[in-house]
Amino acid sequence: MDEPKAGTMPPPPATVLDFDEKNFRPSVVETELYDWWDRAGFFTPPATPSPGEKKFVMMLPLPNVTGDLHMGHALGFGGYEDLMARWHRMRGEATLYLPGTDHAGIIAQIVVERELAKEMDKKGLTREQFLGEMWKWMRHYQPRIYRQLRMLGCSLDWSRVHFTMDPDMQQRVRTHFIRQYKRGHLYRADRIVHWCLTCQTTYSDLELLHIERTDQLSYVRYPWADAMPAGTPDVVIATTRPETIVADTAVAVHPDDERWKRYVGREVLVPMVERRVKIIADEAVDPKFGTGALKVTPGHDQTDFEIGQRHGLPIISAIDKNGSMNSQAGMLAGEHRDAARTKAVAILERKGLLLKQEPITHAVGIHDRCETVEEPLVMRQWFMKMKELAKPAIDAVRNGKIQIVPKYQEKIYFEWMENIRDWAIARQIWWGHSIPVWYCQDCDEIVVPDEGAPDPTVCPKCRGTDLKQDPDVLDTWFSSALWPHTTLGWPEQTPDLRRFYPGTVLETGYDILFFWVARMIMMGLENIEDIPFSTVYLHGLVRVGKTKMGKSKGNVTSPIATIEQDGADALRYALIYGVSAGADSQLSEGKLQNAKEFANKLWNIGRFVLRTLEAKNQSQWPSDRSPENDPALGPAERWILSRTEATAGELTRLIEQYLFGEYVGALQQFVWGEFADTYLELSKQSLRDPVRADAAARTLAYVLDRVLRLAHPVMPFITDTLALQLWRAMPTADRSPSLVIAKWPEPRSRDQALEDRFAALIDVVRTIRNLRQTSGVRPGQKASVALGGDVSAIRELGGAIAHLTQSEVTFGGGAGQATVVRAVEVRLAAEHDVAEHRARIERELLEAKDLLRRSRELLARPGFVEKAPSSVVDNEKAKLAEREERARLLEGELKRVT
RNA sequence: GGGCUGUUGGCUCAGCUGGUUAGAGCGCUGCGUUCACAUCGCAGAGGUCGCUGGUUCGAAUCCAGCACAGCCCACCA
């Protein structure tokens, strides 16, 4: 790891640590610390790559420039991504976590229009004026979202920040469009598209949502156009959109439908407009629905459009872009589509063509942005051919070059990619990337300039000079699909592109797997011929509990408010605590509370250790002597050091396997349960002993140092605050200018036998404490305890037992068992309730006998000893011996008490 | 219509390739504050792991079916 040169690096912020402060107050520290990290260049990978460097590259899933961060962002950015980035950086990898924002097309335009409406009439603005206003607002919003990202603590390289509408990024999008056009992947055609009456634009299939709604299903009779033999059945269709009857150009039946087969080719009259249309046969018709006859309206229905294409039917557009019925609509002309529906029903009824109406619950398409019910319209539009692009992207995942976590999402990816449809890429709005296509007004030629060429002014075909640029802009996702390579300088072969492409991980919510992830894979493979990242980590949605959040707190659903109140560390921690990969999660008040308390615990551990060091003026950490080989260390010290190494190994494994929720859980278990509650308490005794104080203090410092490193990826602020202090107090420690670039602990050797003995000790301690309590021995009141069973293994730990239980311990008991003692015979000398004591022993004896029975049954079970692996059998045998011993001891104790 | 995921103590969830007495946080009960922390410590209660079958010496874990919940996809008018 390149450390910034001394002298060029700004000093860390003046300490805000106040040891009189019992609780950590996050907001005081965080911005100063972040600014320092940023200014010191910790987040920028070393300028010159070292030969054979390992790298970690991750793109921030660019948030919308006009938005505020929500909990989903906080989970992704501050929870998973920054954790990964910081961890890889600490492992010495050249780490690039690249920030940026998305111009957010339609959403941003709506936001700004709303703002503008407060002060002026947008309608009076020209396109250029409006875009000028858009840019003004961009400059207003952008710093706001960047500030929020900094508040989360994300270790982003701000020297490489990008915005999708930056001029150079616009140029890159233009190049991409031109290349794709020349490669034949883009085409313009009259097709049916989703039109939004509110937003006045088209949108893609992905932006179409479905809601369940109940409408009236109208049964309408279409009279025969010609005289038919007596007994010919009436043609009746069922529709929820009777206003579109006027645009019908056929009636379709299923080719195998016995009721209608023989009438295919005959003609009926479309009600209201009296148009003769044919009865056609098409597989798309469901014979079980309604009467089995379908009105075909190619101009206003997706399925019908496709049927129309297959049968060469004419297309009638009777509804215009505002939702009004046009002159094609006959007697419905001029009405809005909703009013037209009512009117159509009335007319049909009057004419005796309406047979009946019944309610039907069905799916209705709506626009995801404004929830307006879609209006399918046939328009001339730009599309991208996707089938060919999807193929290599499918292969990349299938052959494992890209792996998706969690794995089951791969199935969903394949399903979508294998049925991919062409992408409607144009939007009829003003804010976005313009389409580099000009239309010659004289000869209708489509003019697309060459790559790198200026806007065309002359038609290459007719030499006319009246060229008009396509007024539409590109779908927002069109540019974000290019993000992993355009941010690195593509199409130029920049050093950044060579060094940082392909990236490593793409982390985002599973809800944009298709919108973004799949398209990045396709475009990366298309433009660079290489995957954009090798791992896709998909997180779930965060819900914020209703019942438990919010009463005493303000708007706690906002991550920014939460950070301001509880700190980014606590929020980050709470968001990933107890969550498994890809699962939706709930951020509850309880989780947040636990996170705050853990941060506070860390703070107070730090306070205790630092005070200890100050008091002892303990400034020499012998860095050349690894602590586990230090003969001055007592068993408690060697135990916590061994546990520290075990934990380092475990946490490394968990992060490597993307098990972040478990990483946080294991971290808490160690820091709180083992370091604070067990070792710290034991150390208090050692610190009072002049012979052992030095070793204890050094152990505290060493373990704190490890703990801060291990916790840094999830709690960057509090850990670095403490580390800076610790290293100031311990100048010779293995330190670094900041934890951000400090080394992640490599696990060293552990002492498994000692850990086992300590586990037994903890058991003994718990039993004694329990007995003291049930026997009514007051805390602080001395008691004497005799240990029975095979105590040889924990004899050396007697001082620890005495310390932790405030009891005098004598070791009785015996020889024999090779196993670590778990049975304990306890005699409390103080006065206690004999009856209660006996009841307890009886209860324990019952439990012990039950366990003994289970062990015996398991070992006696046919096949077990023969078929189970010998390690399992041995384990069971050892357990049986222990249980026998325990039962025997308890029986003895019971006899003695009685 | 197709598919995916989930169902574990009062609540929110862990439980990796099947093997100690199924864990955690919150909540609950009892006890305890002189010097890191009451955002604290100690101890404890509480679960037939949705149901039914199957595989196995052994199933919360693997398989099948079912029930319920949530989500995604889809041209059911």
Side-chain angles (χ1 to χ4, degrees):
Chain A
M1 170 87 35
D2 272 11
E3 285 183 9
K5 281 187 219 101
T8 61
M9 194 180 72
T15 180
V16 281
L17 261 198
D18 178 355
F19 288 126
D20 292 333
E21 198 75 60
K22 286 183 171 182
N23 302 316
F24 179 59
R25 287 189 311 165
S27 55
V28 188
V29 210
E30 294 183 351
T31 42
E32 273 187 63
L33 199 54
Y34 190 96
D35 288 346
W36 173 61
W37 289 335
D38 183 23
R39 277 184 293 119
F42 297 149
F43 300 157
T44 303
T48 46
S50 50
E53 72 177 356
K54 283 197 75 176
K55 63 183 173 87
F56 180 78
V57 180
M58 181 168 55
M59 300 287 158
L60 178 81
L62 57 180
N64 290 342
V65 61
T66 51
D68 286 307
L69 293 188
H70 58 247
M71 277 302 175
H73 292 128
L75 173 70
F77 305 165
Y80 298 120
E81 291 164 28
D82 195 49
L83 189 156
M84 287 189 250
R86 286 179 184 271
W87 183 70
H88 284 277
R89 194 179 290 111
M90 289 178 80
R91 297 200 106 195
E93 297 168 28
T95 298
L96 173 60
Y97 181 19
L98 188 143
T101 41
D102 188 89
H103 65 282
I106 212 168
I107 307 173
Q109 180 162 331
I110 290 170
V111 168
V112 173
E113 276 171 2
R114 211 171 284 150
E115 292 289 344
L116 286 178
K118 291 176 193 162
E119 358 181 317
M120 62 176 99
D121 182 11
K122 177 222 163 189
K123 291 195 168 59
L125 295 178
T126 66
R127 184 169 180 146
E128 281 62 38
Q129 286 169 328
F130 178 74
L131 288 177
E133 292 295 324
M134 283 299 300
W135 276 102
K136 223 182 275 173
W137 280 99
M138 289 308 114
R139 284 187 280 274
H140 168 76
Y141 284 118
Q142 209 155 40
R144 181 188 166 98
I145 193 88
Y146 288 159
R147 189 177 59 82
Q148 294 183 354
L149 287 166
R150 297 169 74 94
M151 286 176 77
L152 266 180
C154 296
S155 54
L156 294 155
D157 182 358
W158 294 103
S159 71
R160 287 181 168 86
V161 66
H162 284 83
F163 176 45
T164 47
M165 284 295 280
D166 285 341
D168 53 347
M169 295 294 278
Q170 290 201 42
Q171 192 59 41
R172 290 162 197 171
V173 171
R174 174 172 164 139
T175 300
H176 175 66
F177 186 100
I178 291 168
R179 283 195 189 176
Q180 290 303 299
Y181 177 76
K182 309 249 150 145
R183 292 195 58 162
H185 291 156
L186 298 175
Y187 66 95
R188 199 159 89 116
D190 289 308
R191 295 248 310 246
I192 193 153
V193 291
H194 311 295
W195 177 262
C196 181
L197 298 179
T198 305
C199 302
Q200 287 292 300
T201 182
T202 55
Y203 49 95
S204 71
D205 295 339
L206 277 177
E207 290 152 274
L208 178 75
L209 301 178
H210 295 276
I211 52 159
E212 287 271 296
R213 205 176 72 172
T214 302
D215 283 314
Q216 287 297 318
L217 182 64
S218 305
Y219 287 77
V220 181
R221 181 165 63 86
Y222 283 35
W224 291 107
D226 305 300
M228 298 294 281
T232 306
D234 286 339
V235 175
V236 177
I237 59 87
T239 180
T240 53
R241 297 201 66 188
E243 74 278 14
T244 64
I245 286 176
V246 294
D248 284 359
T249 54
V251 166
V253 298
H254 194 273
D256 301 333
D257 192 330
E258 292 301 331
R259 294 168 295 178
W260 300 111
K261 235 174 163 171
R262 74 183 98 148
Y263 301 109
V264 170
R266 308 301 291 260
E267 290 181 329
V268 292
L269 286 174
V270 175
M272 295 185 279
V273 288
E274 315 302 326
R275 182 169 41 245
R276 295 179 78 105
V277 300
K278 275 206 167 67
I279 293 178
I280 59 173
D282 194 283
E283 302 267 352
V285 181
D286 176 2
K288 289 190 288 295
F289 186 90
T291 59
L294 170 72
K295 72 193 257 320
V296 183
T297 323
H300 297 289
D301 185 276
Q302 182 78 38
T303 313
D304 294 5
F305 179 82
E306 285 163 18
I307 294 173
Q309 294 291 96
R310 285 195 285 271
H311 297 267
L313 297 177
I315 295 165
I316 295 175
S317 294
I319 303 173
D320 68 18
K321 291 177 182 176
N322 296 313
S324 299
M325 310 301 293
N326 62 23
S327 57
Q328 295 282 342
M331 53 187 84
L332 299 177
E335 301 285 352
H336 189 266
R337 65 176 180 182
D338 299 328
R341 180 170 305 175
T342 316
K343 192 169 174 182
V345 170
I347 293 169
L348 292 167
E349 190 158 31
R350 203 168 55 235
K351 295 194 166 194
L353 297 176
L354 182 71
L355 271 58
K356 62 172 173 175
Q357 283 195 303
E358 58 189 32
I360 180 175
T361 303
H362 64 145
V364 177
I366 59 171
H367 186 203
D368 62 352
R369 296 304 171 201
C370 63
E371 303 190 346
T372 305
V373 174
E374 72 152 340
E375 187 52 64
L377 293 181
V378 174
M379 301 176 78
R380 180 158 298 182
Q381 288 275 312
W382 281 99
F383 294 91
M384 190 166 206
K385 287 186 196 167
M386 302 307 291
K387 279 242 168 344
E388 238 177 87
L389 290 162
K391 230 189 132 307
I394 292 169
D395 293 343
V397 174
R398 185 148 282 145
N399 64 28
K401 279 175 75 183
I402 296 176
Q403 67 155 338
I404 301 180
V405 181
K407 182 116 179 127
Y408 64 78
Q409 293 282 353
E410 288 185 0
K411 205 169 172 180
I412 298 169
Y413 172 86
F414 291 136
E415 180 67 21
W416 189 74
M417 292 290 273
E418 278 157 10
N419 297 297
I420 199 162
R421 312 216 316 227
D422 286 355
W423 178 10
I425 54 172
R427 297 291 177 274
Q428 290 67 45
I429 56 173
W430 285 351
W431 176 239
H433 297 268
S434 47
I435 296 180
V437 174
W438 283 258
Y439 307 106
C440 177
Q441 301 301 293
D442 298 325
C443 71
D444 279 348
E445 175 73 356
I446 295 177
V447 185
V448 177
D450 286 337
E451 197 180 315
D455 294 355
T457 50
V458 179
C459 173
K461 191 174 168 196
C462 72
R463 313 310 298 169
T465 54
D466 190 5
L467 297 182
K468 279 223 163 60
Q469 184 169 13
D470 192 306
D472 291 352
V473 299
L474 293 163
D475 182 0
T476 296
W477 298 102
F478 190 83
S479 54
S480 36
L482 313 176
W483 190 247
H485 53 278
T486 47
T487 52
L488 298 174
W490 182 89
E492 306 305 324
Q493 277 299 315
T494 59
D496 266 9
L497 186 64
R498 279 195 296 271
R499 185 173 174 201
F500 297 120
Y501 195 97
T504 318
V505 172
L506 187 280
E507 192 288 336
T508 193
Y510 64 67
D511 50 330
I512 55 173
L513 178 62
F514 309 139
F515 276 109
W516 194 43
V517 181
R519 286 166 176 170
M520 278 191 290
I521 296 173
M522 290 187 275
M523 298 312 153
L525 286 164
E526 171 69 8
N527 287 344
I528 314 273
E529 294 182 5
D530 200 354
I531 52 172
F533 31 72
S534 44
T535 299
V536 176
Y537 182 90
L538 296 171
H539 66 248
L541 307 178
V542 201
R543 294 185 310 280
V544 179
K546 300 171 221 77
T547 47
K548 293 193 176 170
M549 300 286 287
K551 264 183 295 186
S552 55
K553 354 210 73 194
N555 181 16
V556 74
T557 57
S558 146
I560 297 308
T562 308
I563 289 170
E564 280 165 351
Q565 189 172 280
D566 303 328
D569 287 333
L571 176 63
R572 293 162 59 118
Y573 190 93
L575 281 167
I576 59 174
Y577 185 94
V579 179
S580 62
D584 289 352
S585 63
Q586 172 116 357
L587 177 65
S588 61
E589 175 59 29
K591 265 192 200 179
L592 203 51
Q593 190 63 30
N594 175 246
K596 275 162 66 182
E597 286 168 9
F598 181 71
N600 188 59
K601 187 50 104 174
L602 214 47
W603 169 254
N604 276 291
I605 292 170
R607 226 156 64 96
F608 176 78
V609 174
L610 287 165
R611 275 187 169 171
T612 303
L613 296 178
E614 270 174 11
K616 305 211 88 66
N617 193 19
Q618 179 52 252
S619 62
Q620 292 301 302
W621 180 262
S623 56
D624 56 336
R625 189 167 62 175
S626 56
E628 63 265 37
N629 298 326
D630 186 340
L633 301 181
E637 280 70 37
R638 281 185 280 114
W639 169 74
I640 193 66
L641 287 169
S642 183
R643 289 300 306 143
T644 306
E645 303 313 332
T647 303
E650 176 70 355
L651 298 188
T652 303
R653 182 185 72 83
L654 291 170
I655 295 179
E656 271 171 350
Q657 297 180 3
Y658 301 96
L659 300 170
F660 304 114
E662 290 186 61
Y663 150 72
V664 167
L667 177 72
Q668 174 165 326
Q669 168 59 36
F670 173 70
V671 173
W672 204 325
E674 301 192 275
F675 186 37
D677 288 347
T678 307
Y679 181 70
L680 223 71
E681 292 308 317
L682 287 173
S683 77
K684 286 175 181 171
Q685 190 191 34
S686 310
L687 288 169
R688 281 193 288 270
D689 178 345
V691 180
R692 295 183 293 155
D694 180 72
R698 283 187 289 119
T699 302
L700 284 170
Y702 177 81
V703 177
L704 176 62
D705 174 280
R706 300 287 109 174
V707 160
L708 294 175
R709 289 168 201 255
L710 294 171
H712 185 256
V714 63
M715 291 195 148
F717 291 106
I718 191 170
T719 51
D720 203 29
T721 305
L722 288 170
L724 291 170
Q725 289 299 313
L726 175 67
W727 292 333
R728 191 171 299 170
M730 304 284 291
T732 57
D734 166 28
R735 67 196 180 130
S736 131
S738 161
L739 261 187
V740 176
I741 52 167
K743 272 193 60 170
W744 175 260
E746 295 301 327
R748 307 188 200 187
S749 64
R750 46 190 292 208
D751 183 343
Q752 185 65 55
L754 180 63
E755 286 186 35
D756 287 347
R757 269 177 286 152
F758 241 83
L761 166 111
I762 302 293
D763 245 21
V764 169
V765 167
R766 180 170 301 124
T767 307
I768 295 173
R769 281 171 174 166
N770 189 309
L771 267 178
R772 285 183 61 112
Q773 189 165 336
T774 54
S775 307
V777 182
R778 303 270 96 195
Q781 193 180 358
K782 283 277 180 203
S784 72
V785 175
L787 295 183
D790 178 16
V791 291
S792 55
I794 61 165
R795 204 179 280 275
E796 61 167 322
L797 304 170
I801 299 173
H803 178 59
L804 291 173
T805 60
Q806 296 181 304
S807 304
E808 281 160 17
V809 186
T810 55
F811 290 89
Q817 306 299 332
T819 52
V820 171
V821 67
R822 288 193 192 278
V824 58
E825 179 189 15
V826 180
R827 196 167 299 132
L828 292 166
E831 303 150 38
H832 62 266
D833 186 333
V834 176
E836 177 132 4
H837 186 189
R838 192 171 59 220
R840 182 190 158 82
I841 302 270
E842 279 169 351
R843 209 167 57 238
E844 284 191 4
L845 183 57
L846 254 136
E847 268 175 37
K849 281 183 166 167
D850 187 51
L851 290 175
L852 182 57
R853 183 183 51 78
R854 286 206 215 184
S855 267
R856 284 184 174 144
E857 281 176 5
L858 179 59
L859 281 162
R861 192 157 48 198
F864 175 72
V865 178
E866 295 80 49
K867 292 186 181 172
S870 58
S871 62
V872 173
V873 176
D874 290 347
N875 199 11
E876 282 307 321
K877 283 182 177 162
K879 214 155 50 182
L880 176 69
E882 265 176 42
R883 287 172 178 179
E884 278 171 342
E885 172 73 358
R886 177 171 168 78
R888 203 177 52 72
L889 282 166
L890 283 165
E891 262 167 1
E893 178 69 5
L894 187 62
K895 211 168 287 169
R896 199 187 57 75
V897 171
T898 313

